Amino acid sequence: MNPTDLAFSSALDQAALIRSGEISPLELTQVYLDRIARHNDRLGAYITVAEERAIKTAKQQNEQWSQGDRAALPPFFGVPMPIKDLAPVAGLPCMRGLAALRDRIAEYTPAHVQAIEAAGFNLLGKTSTSELGSMPFTEPMGLPSARNPWHLDYTPGGSSGGAAAAVAAGLAPLAHGSDGGGSVRGPAGCCGLVGFKPSRGRISQAPEGEHLMGLATPGPLTRTVRDAAALLDVMAGYVLGDPYWLPNPETSFLEQTQQAPPHLKIAVASEIPHWPIHRDCQAAVERTAEQLGQLGHELGVGCPDFSDLAAPFQQIFASAIAATGVPPEALSPINRWLMEQAGTAAELWQSMAQLRFLSRQIVGFFADWDILLLPTYAHPIIKIGEWADRSPEETFEAVSRWVMPCPPFNATGQPAISLPAGFDERGLPMSVQLVGKPGADAQVLQLAAQLEGLEGWTQHRPPETVS
């Protein structure tokens, strides 16, 4: 296998190649470091490349690999991957999209990232994020913008935009992300990838209790559903003291993707009440619905009403930015404006109560349906800087209209996955979203794997970075 084909192969395949002795951890790590050196200046996918650390780890793994029992190695021994720069990794910078924090070195590693390292992954570095993770485009003030490998004039989404750009461009086989309002699913959709937001409580956020009052969760960005399931197996788990938790399944998520899901009742939402959806996004949903019908599932038309969620979501995001303690002068205009919108503690509690009430109504919709199919975003991908000349209020309104199909399921805590769904006339990826009942992560992954078997989207590579 040549280095380019190797770089675009799945993490599971790479782990198997290392275990069989066809490639060493150091050789695989060097493939990605070489590609990062060639492409990252244009893409802005990595904000920190941990080259020395990655080579040191790979050499240690090489020695262990050559001397030990390979069958006893952890599942992803020697496979490289990056961590999104909202999550700290002890000893590496953690800027959170803020140029003012360029020199801040993290002092601890959260439990789910420790689990990633324990599974044998070699950390290549930290991927770019929007400032404080608040925007669906990755253009942090004073830092490089992340760009879409399918067309460098367009955004890879946000806030996990660097992670998505890295995987799509073959600068990593898969990546860690986080999703507080679509920040895994949106970038995956923009870059032709699989992005999975697991159920609330599936992945521990220790030593912190929760992010965004339970709205946010870590999740995988991958090229294949099997890789997403396998990385979920690694990241999932309860840590003593977690405010939310779900038991691990008796059978791994990866194994469950090898089984066809049962006959499912699927609500198709190419239109969403009170929100305009671009015709291209509607067409992507309709094409996917046809495929689901071919697979034998029962289809109907339906969608919950999300229209009342915008106001409480804005209040919670504004309060979260205000709570960071970052000086306003260090923030971009949109985040400075959001900080100013933060209300009193009483107003925050009222917003949380409203969000929980609305969440119950949305979850109630799933009493009659197993899966909801809808667009990932409400219109196709925007250009880098497309909204730069708008006021903060206008920008936030545009952002809310674009990402609207994603935040409802952060509110409810339901599992949701973004999947590739072809390309638009510009050659940019389109995507759709599958949402399952609370806790039904395995069923969502099973259905996604079924669709992947029909589509063959894993064979597509962006033209800018295939060499």
Side-chain angles (χ1 to χ4, degrees):
M1 188 182 296
N2 66 49
T4 301
D5 288 341
L6 183 62
F8 282 94
S9 62
S10 76
L12 284 166
D13 287 346
Q14 291 176 2
L17 289 171
I18 289 173
R19 202 172 300 277
S20 68
E22 295 180 56
I23 190 171
S24 73
L26 182 59
E27 289 169 331
L28 183 57
T29 297
Q30 197 61 58
V31 164
Y32 283 111
L33 290 174
D34 289 347
R35 289 185 62 80
I36 291 168
R38 288 203 304 277
H39 298 297
N40 193 59
D41 283 350
R42 290 187 302 151
L43 286 169
Y46 285 81
I47 195 66
T48 298
V49 181
E51 182 173 5
E52 289 185 12
R53 173 186 171 131
I55 289 175
K56 180 181 178 181
T57 299
K59 287 180 175 178
Q60 293 171 342
Q61 290 178 325
N62 258 27
E63 186 173 349
Q64 184 181 353
W65 172 79
S66 63
Q67 295 177 359
D69 176 8
R70 291 179 190 167
L73 295 173
F76 286 100
F77 183 82
V79 177
M81 73 170 285
I83 303 297
K84 181 180 177 180
D85 202 33
L86 286 184
V89 175
L92 293 181
C94 187
M95 291 177 244
R96 304 182 70 205
L98 284 163
L101 300 182
R102 191 186 300 272
D103 298 324
R104 188 182 74 169
I105 304 300
E107 297 180 354
Y108 73 94
T109 302
H112 73 277
V113 179
Q114 292 180 34
I116 285 170
E117 291 191 277
F121 283 107
N122 183 2
L123 303 189
L124 288 169
K126 306 294 290 298
T127 53
S128 301
T129 179
S130 59
E131 187 179 275
L132 299 177
S134 65
M135 290 292 113
F137 42 83
T138 304
E139 302 168 31
M141 187 175 67
L143 296 170
S145 294
R147 295 180 177 272
N148 196 314
W150 290 95
H151 194 308
L152 297 182
D153 289 343
Y154 289 83
T155 183
S159 61
S160 304
V167 178
L171 308 190
L174 42 62
H176 161 278
S178 57
D179 192 316
S183 287
V184 162
R185 289 162 287 159
C190 289
C191 292
L193 302 174
V194 174
F196 185 60
K197 185 198 80 67
S199 292
R200 181 179 297 138
R202 181 67 69 195
I203 298 175
S204 174
Q205 309 238 32
E208 300 177 39
E210 59 184 7
H211 285 187
L212 276 178
M213 299 184 174
L215 298 179
T217 178
L221 289 106
T222 63
R223 272 190 288 276
T224 72
V225 174
R226 292 184 72 241
D227 271 4
L231 185 51
L232 181 62
D233 282 324
V234 167
M235 297 168 73
Y238 168 75
V239 174
L240 187 65
D242 286 344
Y244 316 106
W245 68 91
L246 289 169
N248 286 337
E250 295 181 3
T251 305
S252 74
F253 291 110
L254 175 59
E255 289 177 87
Q256 292 189 65
T257 62
Q258 307 307 303
Q259 306 166 15
H263 177 82
L264 298 174
K265 291 185 65 178
I266 300 174
V268 179
S270 58
E271 297 182 359
I272 297 176
H274 310 297
W275 292 92
I277 303 296
H278 192 279
R279 179 57 197 159
D280 287 352
C281 300
Q282 292 179 324
V285 169
E286 290 160 3
R287 286 195 303 271
T288 305
E290 289 179 12
Q291 293 169 330
L292 291 169
Q294 292 169 12
L295 290 167
H297 299 292
E298 181 182 344
L299 305 180
V301 175
C303 186
D305 186 349
F306 309 139
S307 56
D308 292 333
L309 281 173
F313 236 94
Q314 178 180 338
Q315 179 65 253
I316 292 164
F317 263 75
S319 299
I321 291 169
T324 63
V326 176
E329 60 270 18
L331 296 175
S332 61
I334 180 67
N335 278 332
R336 198 157 55 241
W337 176 80
L338 275 171
M339 180 181 279
E340 293 167 357
Q341 306 310 304
T344 65
E347 289 170 329
L348 175 60
W349 278 104
Q350 288 169 352
S351 293
M352 283 302 305
Q354 184 182 5
L355 203 68
R356 288 172 180 142
F357 177 79
L358 295 170
S359 295
R360 285 185 176 272
Q361 293 182 322
I362 294 169
V363 172
F365 173 85
F366 287 82
D368 298 319
W369 303 98
D370 299 304
I371 296 286
L372 173 65
L373 166 66
L374 74 167
T376 304
Y377 277 173
H379 62 75
I381 305 168
I382 63 170
K383 284 189 171 182
I384 300 283
E386 184 167 325
W387 296 333
D389 294 334
R390 299 188 181 194
S391 69
E393 296 94 327
E394 291 169 335
T395 301
F396 192 80
E397 183 180 351
V399 163
S400 299
R401 286 198 303 267
W402 189 31
V403 306
M404 176 274 306
C406 283
F409 310 108
N410 296 91
T412 64
Q414 291 171 259
I417 194 166
S418 176
L419 300 174
F423 297 87
D424 66 17
E425 61 185 12
R426 303 168 297 178
L428 293 169
M430 300 294 297
S431 66
V432 296
Q433 204 179 169
L434 300 175
V435 182
K437 295 186 178 192
D441 302 54
Q443 192 169 86
V444 171
L445 288 164
Q446 285 178 329
L447 184 59
Q450 254 197 335
L451 278 172
E452 184 176 64
L454 287 179
E455 278 285 282
W457 59 66
T458 60
Q459 305 307 312
H460 296 300
R461 298 179 187 178
E464 297 276 357
T465 54
V466 294
S467 62

